[in-house]
């Protein structure tokens, strides 16, 4: 799975996705990652799409001053959030919560992968904390 922790930026996919923020001056990349999960509908949700949306939700939480992860993996993201100095819209926050709920639901590859690990409880708690952090 390429994950070393249950946190939003505790995997290769999320960290790779974050490199794209450097080219942005708004939340468009964040919105795109969240919308990709929502657009997936009831179809089986790929773990990479889910990991990117979780990272995107963490960016929104950080923009609100309620980030759930602060370590060496988030330093560049933290700097980017400070550099844009704007807050996400209520609509985007609502979509983020919808995407997180979808990731936690059935037919989610990422959820299945975590369920097979010993750290499912930690991952589930991390997602729930992120949902609270972006609650519109």
């Amino acid at each position: 799975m390429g994950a070393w922790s249950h946190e939003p930026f505790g995997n290769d996919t999320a960290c790779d996705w974050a490199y794209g923020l450097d080219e942005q001056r708004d939340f468009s990349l964040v919105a795109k990652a969240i919308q990709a999960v929502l657009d997936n509908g009831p179809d089986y949700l790929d773990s990479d799409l889910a990991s990117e949306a979780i990272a995107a939700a963490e960016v929104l939480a950080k923009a609100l001053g309620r980030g759930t992860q602060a370590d060496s993996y988030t330093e560049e993201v933290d700097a980017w959030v400070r550099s844009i100095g704007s807050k996400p819209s209520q609509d985007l926050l609502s979509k983020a919560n919808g995407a997180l709920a979808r990731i936690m639901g059935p037919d989610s590859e990422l959820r299945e992968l975590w369920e097979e690990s010993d750290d499912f409880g930690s991952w589930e708690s991390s997602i729930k904390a992120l949902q609270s952090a972006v609650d519109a």
Side-chain angles (χ1 to χ4, degrees):
M1 163 164 58
W4 52 86
S5 103
H6 61 275
E7 295 176 302
F9 286 97
N11 63 81
D12 292 329
T13 302
C15 290
D16 290 346
W17 173 84
Y19 287 119
L21 290 172
D22 287 340
E23 302 167 7
Q24 306 296 313
R25 299 306 316 145
D26 60 19
F27 292 111
S28 57
L29 185 68
V30 171
K32 182 178 177 184
I34 290 166
Q35 194 62 51
V37 167
L38 298 175
D39 288 347
N40 196 77
D43 295 337
Y44 192 70
L45 182 62
D46 179 77
S47 64
D48 285 346
L49 286 179
S51 294
E52 289 177 357
I54 291 167
E58 176 67 10
V59 170
L60 296 177
K62 287 178 174 296
L64 295 170
R66 301 189 295 240
T68 66
Q69 180 182 0
D71 56 26
S72 61
Y73 297 108
T74 66
E75 287 175 357
E76 302 265 335
V77 172
D78 295 333
W80 181 83
V81 167
R82 285 190 303 274
S83 76
I84 65 162
S86 63
K87 302 288 183 211
S89 69
Q90 293 297 332
D91 181 57
L92 184 53
L93 294 171
S94 178
K95 286 181 178 184
N97 251 317
L100 292 169
R102 173 64 179 90
I103 291 163
M104 290 291 293
D107 294 321
S108 170
E109 181 183 24
L110 189 61
R111 180 187 173 94
E112 288 177 6
L113 290 169
W114 279 105
E115 284 177 331
E116 295 170 0
S117 80
D118 293 335
D119 295 320
F120 176 70
S122 296
W123 178 78
E124 186 177 42
S125 293
S126 174
I127 299 300
K128 288 178 180 179
L130 190 51
Q131 284 176 307
S132 293
V134 298
D135 192 16

mmCIF file of all heavy atoms in Angstrom, residues 106-124:
data_model
loop_
_atom_site.group_PDB
_atom_site.id
_atom_site.type_symbol
_atom_site.label_atom_id
_atom_site.label_comp_id
_atom_site.label_asym_id
_atom_site.label_seq_id
_atom_site.Cartn_x
_atom_site.Cartn_y
_atom_site.Cartn_z
ATOM 1 N N PRO A 106 -18.675 1.345 2.075
ATOM 2 C CA PRO A 106 -18.422 0.096 1.341
ATOM 3 C C PRO A 106 -17.824 0.380 -0.041
ATOM 4 O O PRO A 106 -17.905 1.488 -0.544
ATOM 5 C CB PRO A 106 -19.816 -0.524 1.219
ATOM 6 C CG PRO A 106 -20.760 0.613 1.348
ATOM 7 C CD PRO A 106 -20.096 1.626 2.238
ATOM 8 N N ASP A 107 -17.245 -0.633 -0.602
ATOM 9 C CA ASP A 107 -16.641 -0.551 -1.941
ATOM 10 C C ASP A 107 -15.518 0.479 -2.014
ATOM 11 O O ASP A 107 -15.371 1.189 -3.006
ATOM 12 C CB ASP A 107 -17.697 -0.281 -3.012
ATOM 13 C CG ASP A 107 -18.660 -1.444 -3.145
ATOM 14 O OD1 ASP A 107 -18.192 -2.600 -3.052
ATOM 15 O OD2 ASP A 107 -19.860 -1.215 -3.323
ATOM 16 N N SER A 108 -14.729 0.561 -0.939
ATOM 17 C CA SER A 108 -13.566 1.441 -0.884
ATOM 18 C C SER A 108 -12.318 0.584 -0.692
ATOM 19 O O SER A 108 -12.156 -0.065 0.355
ATOM 20 C CB SER A 108 -13.714 2.440 0.275
ATOM 21 O OG SER A 108 -12.502 3.140 0.485
ATOM 22 N N GLU A 109 -11.461 0.580 -1.708
ATOM 23 C CA GLU A 109 -10.243 -0.225 -1.635
ATOM 24 C C GLU A 109 -9.374 0.197 -0.455
ATOM 25 O O GLU A 109 -8.802 -0.665 0.241
ATOM 26 C CB GLU A 109 -9.450 -0.102 -2.940
ATOM 27 C CG GLU A 109 -8.180 -0.929 -2.941
ATOM 28 C CD GLU A 109 -7.346 -0.750 -4.193
ATOM 29 O OE1 GLU A 109 -7.455 0.293 -4.869
ATOM 30 O OE2 GLU A 109 -6.559 -1.673 -4.487
ATOM 31 N N LEU A 110 -9.266 1.497 -0.199
ATOM 32 C CA LEU A 110 -8.408 1.956 0.889
ATOM 33 C C LEU A 110 -8.930 1.450 2.233
ATOM 34 O O LEU A 110 -8.160 0.973 3.075
ATOM 35 C CB LEU A 110 -8.294 3.484 0.898
ATOM 36 C CG LEU A 110 -7.258 4.056 1.856
ATOM 37 C CD1 LEU A 110 -5.853 3.569 1.519
ATOM 38 C CD2 LEU A 110 -7.300 5.575 1.831
ATOM 39 N N ARG A 111 -10.231 1.543 2.429
ATOM 40 C CA ARG A 111 -10.814 1.010 3.671
ATOM 41 C C ARG A 111 -10.506 -0.482 3.798
ATOM 42 O O ARG A 111 -10.113 -0.953 4.866
ATOM 43 C CB ARG A 111 -12.312 1.253 3.714
ATOM 44 C CG ARG A 111 -12.937 0.717 4.999
ATOM 45 C CD ARG A 111 -14.445 0.778 5.004
ATOM 46 N NE ARG A 111 -14.951 0.108 6.179
ATOM 47 C CZ ARG A 111 -15.249 0.715 7.330
ATOM 48 N NH1 ARG A 111 -15.093 2.008 7.457
ATOM 49 N NH2 ARG A 111 -15.696 0.013 8.351
ATOM 50 N N GLU A 112 -10.677 -1.227 2.717
ATOM 51 C CA GLU A 112 -10.407 -2.666 2.760
ATOM 52 C C GLU A 112 -8.954 -2.953 3.107
ATOM 53 O O GLU A 112 -8.668 -3.862 3.893
ATOM 54 C CB GLU A 112 -10.771 -3.309 1.428
ATOM 55 C CG GLU A 112 -12.255 -3.392 1.182
ATOM 56 C CD GLU A 112 -12.606 -3.976 -0.179
ATOM 57 O OE1 GLU A 112 -11.693 -4.436 -0.903
ATOM 58 O OE2 GLU A 112 -13.799 -3.970 -0.524
ATOM 59 N N LEU A 113 -8.048 -2.185 2.532
ATOM 60 C CA LEU A 113 -6.630 -2.386 2.835
ATOM 61 C C LEU A 113 -6.338 -2.129 4.313
ATOM 62 O O LEU A 113 -5.587 -2.886 4.944
ATOM 63 C CB LEU A 113 -5.768 -1.480 1.955
ATOM 64 C CG LEU A 113 -5.725 -1.838 0.471
ATOM 65 C CD1 LEU A 113 -5.072 -0.721 -0.335
ATOM 66 C CD2 LEU A 113 -5.008 -3.162 0.257
ATOM 67 N N TRP A 114 -6.921 -1.077 4.858
ATOM 68 C CA TRP A 114 -6.707 -0.782 6.276
ATOM 69 C C TRP A 114 -7.395 -1.815 7.161
ATOM 70 O O TRP A 114 -6.875 -2.147 8.240
ATOM 71 C CB TRP A 114 -7.155 0.635 6.608
ATOM 72 C CG TRP A 114 -6.108 1.631 6.229
ATOM 73 C CD1 TRP A 114 -6.127 2.479 5.151
ATOM 74 C CD2 TRP A 114 -4.869 1.876 6.890
ATOM 75 N NE1 TRP A 114 -4.975 3.221 5.116
ATOM 76 C CE2 TRP A 114 -4.188 2.873 6.169
ATOM 77 C CE3 TRP A 114 -4.268 1.331 8.020
ATOM 78 C CZ2 TRP A 114 -2.926 3.345 6.552
ATOM 79 C CZ3 TRP A 114 -3.016 1.806 8.407
ATOM 80 C CH2 TRP A 114 -2.357 2.800 7.665
ATOM 81 N N GLU A 115 -8.546 -2.323 6.739
ATOM 82 C CA GLU A 115 -9.226 -3.353 7.532
ATOM 83 C C GLU A 115 -8.380 -4.613 7.665
ATOM 84 O O GLU A 115 -8.487 -5.336 8.651
ATOM 85 C CB GLU A 115 -10.581 -3.713 6.912
ATOM 86 C CG GLU A 115 -11.645 -2.681 7.161
ATOM 87 C CD GLU A 115 -12.966 -3.010 6.479
ATOM 88 O OE1 GLU A 115 -12.958 -3.674 5.410
ATOM 89 O OE2 GLU A 115 -14.008 -2.589 7.007
ATOM 90 N N GLU A 116 -7.537 -4.863 6.677
ATOM 91 C CA GLU A 116 -6.670 -6.042 6.694
ATOM 92 C C GLU A 116 -5.425 -5.828 7.544
ATOM 93 O O GLU A 116 -4.659 -6.766 7.763
ATOM 94 C CB GLU A 116 -6.249 -6.399 5.263
ATOM 95 C CG GLU A 116 -7.406 -6.834 4.389
ATOM 96 C CD GLU A 116 -7.048 -6.947 2.918
ATOM 97 O OE1 GLU A 116 -5.881 -6.683 2.550
ATOM 98 O OE2 GLU A 116 -7.951 -7.276 2.125
ATOM 99 N N SER A 117 -5.218 -4.616 8.023
ATOM 100 C CA SER A 117 -4.032 -4.319 8.827
ATOM 101 C C SER A 117 -4.373 -4.292 10.314
ATOM 102 O O SER A 117 -5.542 -4.278 10.701
ATOM 103 C CB SER A 117 -3.443 -2.958 8.412
ATOM 104 O OG SER A 117 -4.175 -1.908 9.003
ATOM 105 N N ASP A 118 -3.343 -4.252 11.126
ATOM 106 C CA ASP A 118 -3.533 -4.136 12.576
ATOM 107 C C ASP A 118 -3.850 -2.706 12.992
ATOM 108 O O ASP A 118 -4.173 -2.466 14.155
ATOM 109 C CB ASP A 118 -2.271 -4.598 13.316
ATOM 110 C CG ASP A 118 -2.020 -6.092 13.145
ATOM 111 O OD1 ASP A 118 -2.996 -6.836 12.889
ATOM 112 O OD2 ASP A 118 -0.853 -6.506 13.269
ATOM 113 N N ASP A 119 -3.743 -1.764 12.066
ATOM 114 C CA ASP A 119 -3.904 -0.346 12.394
ATOM 115 C C ASP A 119 -5.225 0.256 11.912
ATOM 116 O O ASP A 119 -5.353 1.468 11.806
ATOM 117 C CB ASP A 119 -2.735 0.456 11.802
ATOM 118 C CG ASP A 119 -1.416 0.081 12.432
ATOM 119 O OD1 ASP A 119 -1.383 -0.122 13.664
ATOM 120 O OD2 ASP A 119 -0.421 -0.020 11.701
ATOM 121 N N PHE A 120 -6.205 -0.602 11.610
ATOM 122 C CA PHE A 120 -7.480 -0.086 11.105
ATOM 123 C C PHE A 120 -8.109 0.914 12.072
ATOM 124 O O PHE A 120 -8.599 1.961 11.661
ATOM 125 C CB PHE A 120 -8.465 -1.219 10.814
ATOM 126 C CG PHE A 120 -9.818 -0.709 10.395
ATOM 127 C CD1 PHE A 120 -9.992 -0.091 9.168
ATOM 128 C CD2 PHE A 120 -10.912 -0.829 11.239
ATOM 129 C CE1 PHE A 120 -11.235 0.395 8.776
ATOM 130 C CE2 PHE A 120 -12.162 -0.353 10.864
ATOM 131 C CZ PHE A 120 -12.317 0.263 9.628
ATOM 132 N N GLY A 121 -8.099 0.613 13.355
ATOM 133 C CA GLY A 121 -8.694 1.508 14.342
ATOM 134 C C GLY A 121 -8.053 2.881 14.330
ATOM 135 O O GLY A 121 -8.742 3.903 14.424
ATOM 136 N N SER A 122 -6.734 2.925 14.204
ATOM 137 C CA SER A 122 -6.024 4.213 14.149
ATOM 138 C C SER A 122 -6.377 4.968 12.884
ATOM 139 O O SER A 122 -6.579 6.187 12.908
ATOM 140 C CB SER A 122 -4.509 3.987 14.202
ATOM 141 O OG SER A 122 -4.143 3.407 15.425
ATOM 142 N N TRP A 123 -6.456 4.255 11.760
ATOM 143 C CA TRP A 123 -6.823 4.903 10.493
ATOM 144 C C TRP A 123 -8.241 5.447 10.567
ATOM 145 O O TRP A 123 -8.495 6.585 10.183
ATOM 146 C CB TRP A 123 -6.683 3.911 9.338
ATOM 147 C CG TRP A 123 -7.077 4.491 8.020
ATOM 148 C CD1 TRP A 123 -6.320 5.337 7.243
ATOM 149 C CD2 TRP A 123 -8.316 4.308 7.326
ATOM 150 N NE1 TRP A 123 -7.036 5.674 6.106
ATOM 151 C CE2 TRP A 123 -8.244 5.062 6.135
ATOM 152 C CE3 TRP A 123 -9.464 3.577 7.600
ATOM 153 C CZ2 TRP A 123 -9.291 5.095 5.211
ATOM 154 C CZ3 TRP A 123 -10.510 3.608 6.686
ATOM 155 C CH2 TRP A 123 -10.415 4.362 5.508
ATOM 156 N N GLU A 124 -9.157 4.641 11.073
ATOM 157 C CA GLU A 124 -10.542 5.066 11.184
ATOM 158 C C GLU A 124 -10.669 6.298 12.087
ATOM 159 O O GLU A 124 -11.372 7.259 11.757
ATOM 160 C CB GLU A 124 -11.392 3.915 11.727
ATOM 161 C CG GLU A 124 -12.875 4.194 11.745
ATOM 162 C CD GLU A 124 -13.663 3.000 12.229
ATOM 163 O OE1 GLU A 124 -13.245 2.340 13.207
ATOM 164 O OE2 GLU A 124 -14.704 2.723 11.611
#
